[in-house]
Amino acid sequence: MSNIQHPKSNMGDNLMEKIVSLCKRRGFVFPGSEIYGGLANAWDYGPYGVLLKNNIKAAWWQKFVLDRDDMVGLDAALLMNTKVYEASGHLKEFSDPLVECKACHERFRADQIDITAPCPACRKGQLTEAKQFNLMLKTFLGPVESPESVVYFRPETAQGIFVNFKNLTDTMRLKLPFGVGQIGKAFRNEITPGNFIFRTREFEQMEVEYFFAPDDDWKNIFENWQKIMHSWIDDLGLNAEQIHEVDVEDGQRAHYSQKTIDFEYDFPFGRKELFGLAYRTNFDLKNHNLNYTTDDGQKIIPHCIEPSLGVDRSMLALLCSAYTEEELENDTRIVLKLPIKLAPIKVAIFPLLKNKPPLVELAKNIFHDLKKSFVCEFDDNGNVGKRYRRQDEIGTPFCITIDFDSLEKQTVTVRERDTMKQEIIEIEKLKDYLTKKLQ
Ligand code: ATP
């Protein structure tokens, strides 16, 4: 269970603005191609954004792959033979319904608005009939731009797993049921990207394809993965009350799915999909002409369940849940109450004054020593109060100040992010103290 307290939702509609601003100000996420006027809905992850995203991915990999006896990992190429997407049905079916305003020509996803009402943008124009718009992002390989050189960026990581099914079973002695986990980029030419990193055209997914025999009880396997997703939501420190599981209706599911549960989250801009869990049957392996030989020599086509999670959406939900404003006596403190395990920086080390060489030298020694065990940051910029605020805003659980007592008594002051409580700790016991606290 996580030990995170949830922020009171008293920040109103501008929570997103505050998060976007904090992300830019503090080096989590920058607008893409900014010095050239930007590229709509493209974002670059800055130093703390990379650390946070890597921590999310590492925690996912640990839970969904390494901690289990029935999982292996894969890292397949982003570009694949176009025949993969002919077989998987993506070229034909991977589309969203698009409507366009006849007056202002703004485009919308027909499943996200009331298509009988006037245009939501100009509030005047009528909307066209919905037509299917394929989301596959196209490019050309090689020097000639011809129909033969067209390839598609993968719209999900999953196909890389399916097409390697034989390689995986041959090389890894895998016995059903087993799963394959993969983390990587996916690309979709979204009609309505937006809401910061929620919906972009380039994003990262963490996916499992879990294979089992056709006569296994798929409902049971589905429910097990549903429980693992609940536990993951808890690991992220998200409030379970803000998660809503929606059984997606017939006709609304992806072309390959017989059952899908969308895990929706109460984002500041509304309740939206965070993750998905789908029963893909044997759709993909069958279409790729792949099978599995049982111990008694029978050829079967395994079925498959897919928990699919977005890295960027996980990070956004995490930021929304962790962002906290606390009223102090004559100040407001902004704190990212991130789960300790996911915080980008674990320990910040401050010399009290930067113009006192013995203090700086001792602080640097402590920093270099702790750095071997934890992700640390050295900060000697501005007064200590300001440094605390900065670390609070990036969610650093512990700040250590090296002062004159440190020189005399070999002690430091350790300040904890959430309680702001300070403790005096002997330098020689510091590493053990932090190891226990950071576990
Ligand atoms: P939506 O209905 O929001 O378009 P989807 O149902 O098409 O999502 P899936 O195909 O189930 O999404 O993809 C699995 C996961 O990948 C999603 O739950 C989400 O976390 C992430 N994801 C999908 N599309 C995007 C995107 N454009 N930007 C960021 N993350 C995405």
Side-chain angles (χ1 to χ4, degrees):
M1 287 291 288
S2 79
N3 56 354
I4 296 300
Q5 304 158 15
H6 294 280
K8 290 165 203 75
S9 42
N10 59 354
M11 277 173 260
D13 295 339
N14 56 3
L15 176 58
M16 271 313 288
E17 272 169 45
K18 290 178 176 179
I19 287 173
V20 175
S21 153
L22 182 143
C23 282
K24 168 95 200 277
R25 184 172 76 243
R26 292 299 185 206
F28 281 89
V29 183
F30 305 127
S33 314
E34 194 181 13
I35 61 165
Y36 288 104
L39 174 70
N41 302 294
W43 300 96
D44 297 336
Y45 287 82
Y48 298 127
V50 182
L51 286 166
L52 181 54
K53 226 164 53 135
N54 283 348
N55 290 345
I56 293 172
K57 290 190 275 187
W60 184 89
W61 193 257
Q62 188 69 41
K63 187 181 198 86
F64 284 75
V65 181
L66 298 180
D67 281 352
R68 299 179 58 105
D69 301 338
D70 55 356
M71 290 286 306
V72 292
L74 184 77
D75 186 9
L78 302 188
L79 295 170
M80 300 174 85
N81 190 316
T82 299
K83 286 181 190 154
V84 173
Y85 298 114
E86 280 163 17
S88 70
H90 281 84
L91 284 182
K92 203 159 136 235
E93 310 270 5
F94 197 63
S95 48
D96 278 338
L98 174 148
V99 288
E100 188 174 317
C101 170
K102 290 179 183 167
C104 72
H105 300 289
E106 188 78 30
R107 291 170 161 196
F108 304 94
R109 251 174 76 169
D111 56 339
Q112 290 180 340
I113 57 165
D114 175 6
I115 51 171
T116 58
C119 165
C122 69
R123 314 236 165 245
K124 292 195 295 267
Q126 253 198 324
L127 299 170
T128 59
E129 290 277 298
K131 62 176 184 214
Q132 289 302 318
F133 173 78
N134 194 287
L135 301 178
M136 300 282 285
L137 208 71
K138 209 192 264 187
T139 190
F140 298 92
L141 275 194
V144 186
E145 288 193 11
S146 67
E148 293 73 47
S149 63
V150 168
V151 287
Y152 297 88
F153 285 102
R154 64 184 186 194
E156 54 173 9
T157 69
Q159 291 308 320
I161 297 179
F162 294 125
V163 301
N164 277 294
F165 185 79
K166 188 169 179 331
N167 286 333
L168 289 161
T169 46
D170 283 356
T171 55
M172 303 303 292
R173 307 170 310 283
L174 298 170
K175 296 276 174 223
L176 290 178
F178 69 86
V180 185
Q182 181 168 218
I183 300 178
K185 290 258 176 168
F187 300 80
R188 295 182 188 176
N189 199 5
E190 296 279 2
I191 298 167
T192 48
N195 287 322
F196 192 34
I197 53 173
F198 174 78
R199 188 182 300 286
T200 48
R201 293 188 170 118
E202 172 187 345
F203 55 96
E204 258 184 304
Q205 290 186 313
M206 309 180 280
E207 292 195 303
V208 167
E209 303 304 325
Y210 194 79
F211 300 101
F212 51 92
D215 51 6
D216 277 352
D217 179 0
W218 70 266
K219 286 193 178 136
N220 189 27
I221 299 172
F222 194 95
E223 277 163 22
N224 277 337
W225 281 104
Q226 204 173 348
K227 281 189 201 133
I228 295 166
M229 295 188 51
H230 294 158
S231 157
W232 170 250
I233 285 163
D234 200 33
D235 292 350
L236 289 180
L238 302 182
N239 182 349
E241 282 170 22
Q242 290 183 288
I243 299 282
H244 311 275
E245 286 167 60
V246 180
D247 209 330
V248 183
E249 289 170 24
D250 285 350
Q252 301 293 315
R253 290 190 295 270
H255 62 279
Y256 48 72
S257 174
Q258 185 169 314
K259 180 179 173 78
T260 298
I261 289 188
D262 281 350
F263 288 71
E264 297 183 341
Y265 180 70
D266 291 323
F267 286 99
F269 44 85
R271 185 181 290 188
K272 302 273 180 216
E273 176 174 333
L274 177 59
F275 312 133
L277 178 64
Y279 171 35
R280 292 180 81 127
T281 67
N282 63 1
F283 180 89
D284 299 272
L285 291 185
K286 191 172 69 192
N287 288 332
H288 292 307
N289 277 320
L290 290 161
N291 57 37
Y292 171 91
T293 309
T294 61
D295 285 345
D296 54 11
Q298 248 187 300
K299 294 236 181 279
I300 58 167
I301 307 176
H303 283 226
C304 151
I305 285 184
E306 175 196 70
S308 179
L309 300 90
V311 179
D312 316 77
R313 280 190 198 176
S314 302
M315 175 161 149
L316 183 57
L318 190 58
L319 289 169
C320 294
S321 132
Y323 184 95
T324 313
E325 286 179 3
E326 287 176 359
E327 292 307 328
L328 305 181
E329 228 168 272
N330 28 9
D331 197 6
T332 305
R333 180 173 91 113
I334 297 172
V335 200
L336 277 191
K337 294 194 171 177
L338 296 168
I340 285 183
K341 194 173 167 185
L342 301 176
I345 302 290
K346 304 292 189 247
V347 188
I349 294 113
F350 312 152
L352 182 67
L353 299 168
K354 78 167 171 190
N355 54 0
K356 296 279 177 234
L359 282 185
V360 175
E361 196 184 326
L362 179 59
K364 282 239 159 106
N365 287 344
I366 293 174
F367 167 60
H368 285 124
D369 187 36
L370 293 180
K371 219 178 155 181
K372 292 178 200 146
S373 310
F374 320 108
V375 180
C376 295
E377 189 170 270
F378 182 85
D379 188 0
D380 60 1
N381 203 3
N383 67 44
V384 169
K386 273 200 182 136
R387 291 183 241 168
Y388 281 150
R389 289 291 180 276
R390 190 173 158 274
Q391 295 299 333
D392 287 343
E393 287 200 11
I394 63 169
T396 305
F398 293 99
C399 294
I400 295 173
T401 305
I402 285 82
D403 56 20
F404 294 101
D405 273 354
S406 310
L407 297 173
E408 271 173 40
K409 301 185 195 156
Q410 295 295 302
T411 59
V412 293
T413 309
V414 180
R415 182 256 202 190
E416 204 266 333
R417 176 192 73 192
D418 294 350
T419 59
M420 293 191 283
K421 278 203 185 117
Q422 303 194 356
E423 252 188 282
I424 307 293
I425 304 289
E426 286 171 47
I427 294 175
E428 71 170 12
K429 296 195 178 143
L430 191 54
K431 198 183 269 179
D432 282 352
Y433 172 90
L434 290 168
T435 305
K436 276 197 203 107
K437 292 275 186 183
L438 288 168
Q439 249 161 20

